[in-house]
Amino acid sequence: MTGDVLARRVTDLLAPQVLVIGMPPAVGLLAQGWAGAAWGLVASALCGGVPAAVIALGVRSGRLDSHHIVDRARRTGPLLAAVAAVLAALVLLVALGAPTLLVATVTAMLVALAVTVPVTLRWKISFHAAVCAGTVVVLAHVLSAVPTLLAGAAVVALVCWSRVRLAHHTWPQVAAGAVTGALVTWGTLAAFGLG
C-alpha cells in the first residue's frame, strides 16, 4: 500500500462526519448503557447526519468538490448547516433532559464550530484534526484516560499526517486544528464539571 492510498483511507475512515456520527452513541453506551446510546443516536443524527446529507447533496450537484470540502471557499454553507444542526440538537437534548455528558459533548461541538468557522473563512484550519482531537478528549472521559490519550494522540498524528500527505493542509493548519479541538473540548467538559 502506497503512502497516498493509506492517507486517503485514514482521511475517509476518520473524517469529521464519521466521527461525529459514531462518537455520541458510543460515548452514551459507555457512559450510561443502552439508554445513553439512544440519546447518542439522537445527537449523531442531528450533529452528523444533517451536515453529512447537506455535503452529499452538494457533492452530487457539483457545488462541492468532495465530502472533505477541500476548497475552503465552498465550506461556508455546509458549515452554517452544521452549526444550525448542532444548535438544534443541543436545544432538543436539553429540552428532553438528556444526560449531562451528551449535552456537554454537543456543546463542545458547537463551541468548536464557533471557533473554527470564523478561522476557516480566512485560513484553512483542519476540521479533520479538530474533530479527531476532540473525540479523543471525550473518549478519555469515559475510558481509561492515560491509555486513551496516548492511543488517541497517535491517531490524531496519523490524521494530521494524512491531511498533509494529500496536500489538503499544511502542518500548521493540522496542528492548529488538533490543538483547537482538544482545548475546546476539554474546556467545555470542564465547564460542565466533567473535566
Side-chain angles (χ1 to χ4, degrees):
M1 179 182 312
T2 68
D4 286 349
V5 171
L6 176 61
R8 276 192 294 277
R9 289 188 180 167
V10 168
T11 286
D12 288 340
L13 181 64
L14 298 172
Q17 306 96 304
V18 173
L19 295 176
V20 171
I21 290 170
M23 188 255 298
V27 167
L29 179 65
L30 291 167
Q32 297 187 321
W34 292 110
W39 282 110
L41 285 172
V42 172
S44 69
L46 289 168
C47 297
V50 170
V54 168
I55 291 168
L57 289 171
V59 170
R60 185 169 295 162
S61 71
R63 286 179 285 121
L64 299 176
D65 51 37
S66 75
H67 63 281
H68 299 301
I69 314 177
V70 176
D71 181 2
R72 181 175 52 88
R74 302 284 183 179
R75 288 181 166 190
T76 305
L79 287 173
L80 291 177
V83 169
V86 173
L87 187 56
L90 184 58
V91 168
L92 183 64
L93 291 173
V94 169
L96 296 177
T100 302
L101 177 58
L102 282 171
V103 172
T105 300
V106 173
T107 301
M109 291 179 196
L110 188 60
V111 174
L113 284 168
V115 172
T116 55
V117 169
V119 172
T120 202
L121 297 177
R122 296 191 177 271
W123 187 65
K124 196 176 173 190
I125 192 168
S126 173
F127 285 94
H128 274 75
V131 173
C132 189
T135 299
V136 169
V137 171
V138 173
L139 289 175
H141 183 75
V142 294
L143 299 171
S144 295
V146 173
T148 302
L149 291 172
L150 291 174
V155 172
V156 171
L158 182 62
V159 167
C160 290
W161 166 82
S162 75
R163 303 304 289 155
V164 173
R165 172 74 186 217
L166 295 173
H168 292 175
H169 289 285
T170 63
W171 281 108
Q173 290 167 343
V174 294
V179 169
T180 299
L183 289 178
V184 163
T185 305
W186 176 82
T188 305
L189 292 178
F192 274 81
L194 301 170

